[in-house]
């Protein structure tokens, strides 16, 4: 089963209208803080865990509570594992017709994967236990004894359907609030590691403006089924399960590449910045299939998949000996991946950003010693480090940017606001911005080779832009001899090297002609920020040994000769000429501001392609830019 375009679709076009779910449920951790109907945050403080749903309004309550009360979910044990799956399954059972042909294979036109899941070592036990709990809850609601006979085949089939088709509903910050099952208009869209479409959620309370929602969007895809499955369901049956749901987390699909008429439309079910083996493992464990898309089957591997596992030899003798580092790549990645994952998990759970920074930077700087090997200087140990495109390095940059930002905030909160403490906090903010910019630059190189990485690129350019503008707008510049009012001279400017600021000024964001010319816009943008970044990069990263090894956050060609990097002079040393000193800082701050604006506006353009001009993310970034300008 698959969905194909019924007409030519340009990049950045809506493919579906907003689709209501067939069934959905919040995860346990959000039941006390979010509306069980529309998934919006509740206006009152979180309540202790209750055995029942909470709602943000009378409209949500009247729409959802009859379904919740009729589904028997209140009879589920509080300690049920994956209880959001069970609640979603019980609610979906209410929409089934009295007679359900092909029960074990298709329900409401959706594939159940019944035989595969009930025979899987990873899923069989939890499917059986969940189905038994659901069957018991339905009996209790009807007042029947649990000792009475009866099978739970129906519950098994529906739970298999939910496990197969449910998608994690995320809010604008990326948090997973719950799960939802949508009709075949979405659920028949297959996975690809090089997709031509992405999807977004619309989570808003009743009668509130819905970011990114265009009720006039038409369904521009049609189902395509094999002859064996033909006639399982028809398009007219798609909306049977939506009866009774007026609200709920809606989903929309949007093109991120040009799609020709008849071409299959695909989205991604996994993180595309993971190497092939990790993607395949995730897809098999969570969805029970092996991906055979073009990116996974091409030989040799794509540039992106090779780069995501790339390592560098920091020993000059081995670098010049033509040593095949691929022989050691798997060992290095495997040994260090576990350590990095543990460090990040510890940071997220314990919340010690200083320890996290020390551990991650120790790995990034020190690398991994493989073994004693013959070299031109005799026997020595091969030291391997992550290439900045390596997926472990990218994850580390993301975490380090966050950890340094938290350290800066915490430092000011727990220390008196002396000049010294403000400068120390400012240093941490600088380094955080440095990691954000390096992350955006590294990901952009991968994005240029694999355009489906646009969703990741949106977030990284947004974070880099916000970090740089925060630095440019800091009051700490006063302590460096530069009055903060000086920045007003560069806030409004025209860029002579690229058209980004003109696009933003026109408020059109990205019209059809500009979308067609997106490649040139992207190239001009990179050339512009690449020419400006050397004017402030050394200032930004001063004090961070790892980042100081990078000459440029956008040009990585020098990494082939990383051991030849020369020490930079201490550019931070104060000049005896105060006038020259202030002029230098003014120039640095100006270029930080300009690159920050470019990063944000470029993020707006990418967000427009992925999510539309009125999406929450696009609107958020636009507001951030406009607030800074005004």
């Amino acid at each position: 089963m698959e969905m194909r375009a019924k007409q030519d679709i340009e990049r950045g076009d809506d493919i579906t209208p907003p689709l209501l779910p067939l069934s959905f449920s919040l995860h346990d951790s959000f039941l006390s803080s979010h509306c069980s109907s529309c998934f919006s945050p509740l206006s009152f403080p979180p309540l202790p865990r209750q055995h029942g749903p909470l709602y943000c309004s009378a409209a949500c309550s009247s729409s959802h509570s009859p379904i919740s009360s009729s589904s028997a979910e209140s009879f589920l044990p509080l300690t049920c594992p994956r209880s959001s799956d069970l609640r979603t399954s019980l609610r979906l059972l209410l929409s089934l017709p009295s007679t359900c042909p092909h029960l074990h294979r298709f329900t409401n036109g959706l594939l159940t994967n019944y035989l595969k899941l009930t025979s899987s070592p990873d899923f069989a036990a939890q499917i059986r236990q969940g189905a038994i709990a659901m069957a018991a809850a339905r009996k209790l609601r009807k007042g029947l004894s649990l000792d009475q006979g009866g099978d739970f085949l129906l519950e098994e089939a529906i739970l298999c359907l939910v496990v197969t088709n449910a998608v994690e509903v995320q809010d604008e910050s990326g948090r997973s609030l719950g799960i939802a099952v949508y009709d075949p208009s979405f659920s028949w869209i297959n996975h690809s590691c090089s997709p031509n479409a992405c999807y977004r959620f619309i989570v808003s309370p009743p009668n509130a403006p819905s970011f990114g929602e265009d009720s006039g969007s038409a369904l521009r895809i049609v189902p395509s089924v094999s002859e064996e499955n033909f006639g399982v369901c028809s398009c007219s049956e798609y909306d049977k399960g939506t009866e009774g749901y007026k609200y709920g987390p809606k989903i929309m699909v949007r093109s991120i590449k040009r799609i020709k008429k008849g071409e299959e439309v695909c989205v991604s079910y996994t993180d595309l910045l993971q190497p092939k083996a990790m993607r395949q493992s995730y897809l098999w464990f969570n969805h029970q299939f092996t991906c055979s898309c073009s990116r996974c089957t091409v030989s040799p591997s794509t540039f992106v998949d090779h780069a995501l596992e790339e390592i560098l030899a920091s020993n000059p003798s081995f670098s010049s000996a033509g040593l095949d580092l691929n022989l050691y790549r798997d060992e290095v990645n495997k040994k260090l991946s576990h350590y990095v994952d543990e460090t990040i998990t510890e940071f997220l759970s314990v919340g010690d950003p200083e320890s996290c920074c020390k551990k991650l930077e120790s790995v990034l700087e020190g690398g991994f010693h493989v073994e004693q090997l013959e070299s031109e200087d005799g026997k020595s140990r091969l030291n391997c480090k992550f290439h900045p495109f390596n997926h472990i390095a990218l994850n580390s940059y993301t975490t380090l940017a966050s950890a340094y930002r938290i350290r800066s905030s915490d430092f000011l909160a727990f220390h008196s606001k002396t000049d010294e403490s403000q400068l120390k906090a400012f240093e941490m903010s600088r380094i955080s911005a440095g990691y954000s910019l390096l992350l955006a630059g590294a990901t952009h190189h991968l994005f240029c080779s694999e355009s489906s990485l646009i969703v990741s690129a949106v977030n990284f350019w947004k974070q880099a832009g916000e970090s740089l503008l925060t630095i440019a707008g800091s009051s700490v510049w006063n302590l460096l001899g530069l009055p903060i009012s000086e920045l007003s001279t560069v806030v409004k400017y025209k860029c002579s090297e690229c058209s980004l600021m003109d696009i933003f000024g026109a408020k059109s964001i990205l019209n059809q002609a500009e979308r067609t010319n997106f490649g040139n816009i992207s190239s001009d943008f990179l050339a512009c920020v690449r020419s400006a970044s050397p004017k402030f990069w050394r200032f930004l990263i001063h004090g961070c040994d790892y980042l100081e090894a990078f000459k440029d956050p956008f040009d990585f060609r020098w990494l082939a000769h990383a051991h030849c990097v020369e020490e930079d002079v201490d550019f931070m040393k104060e000049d005896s000429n105060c006038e020259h000193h202030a002029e230098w800082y003014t120039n640095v701050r100006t270029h930080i501001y300009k690159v920050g604006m470019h990063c944000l506006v470029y993020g707006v353009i990418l967000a427009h392609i992925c999510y539309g001009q009125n999406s929450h993310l696009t609107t958020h970034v636009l507001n951030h830019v406009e607030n800074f300008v005004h």
Side-chain angles (χ1 to χ4, degrees), residues 23-31 49-51 71-91 126 130 133-134 159 162 178-179:
S23 187
F24 57 96
S25 175
L26 287 168
H27 289 316
D28 284 0
S29 56
F30 292 100
L31 285 172
R49 172 70 190 273
Q50 296 185 2
H51 199 60
S71 68
E73 62 191 69
S74 60
F75 293 92
L76 288 171
L78 285 174
T79 57
C80 263
R82 299 186 64 151
S83 59
S84 55
D85 287 353
L86 305 189
R87 288 192 295 272
T88 302
S89 299
L90 286 170
R91 295 169 187 177
Q126 67 181 23
M134 289 167 57
L159 184 53
V162 169
I179 62 171

Side-chain angles (χ1 to χ4, degrees), residues 199-215:
Y199 56 87
R200 68 185 185 276
F201 295 100
I202 303 169
V203 176
S204 61
N207 304 320
S210 296
F211 287 109
E213 181 170 349
D214 181 2
S215 58

Side-chain angles (χ1 to χ4, degrees), residues 343-359 399 403 406-407 410:
T343 300
I344 294 175
T345 300
E346 179 185 338
F347 166 59
L348 295 175
S349 58
V350 178
D352 186 349
E354 184 174 1
S355 173
C356 175
C357 291
K358 289 179 179 178
K359 290 180 179 180
T399 305
I406 293 172
R407 287 180 65 185
D410 288 350

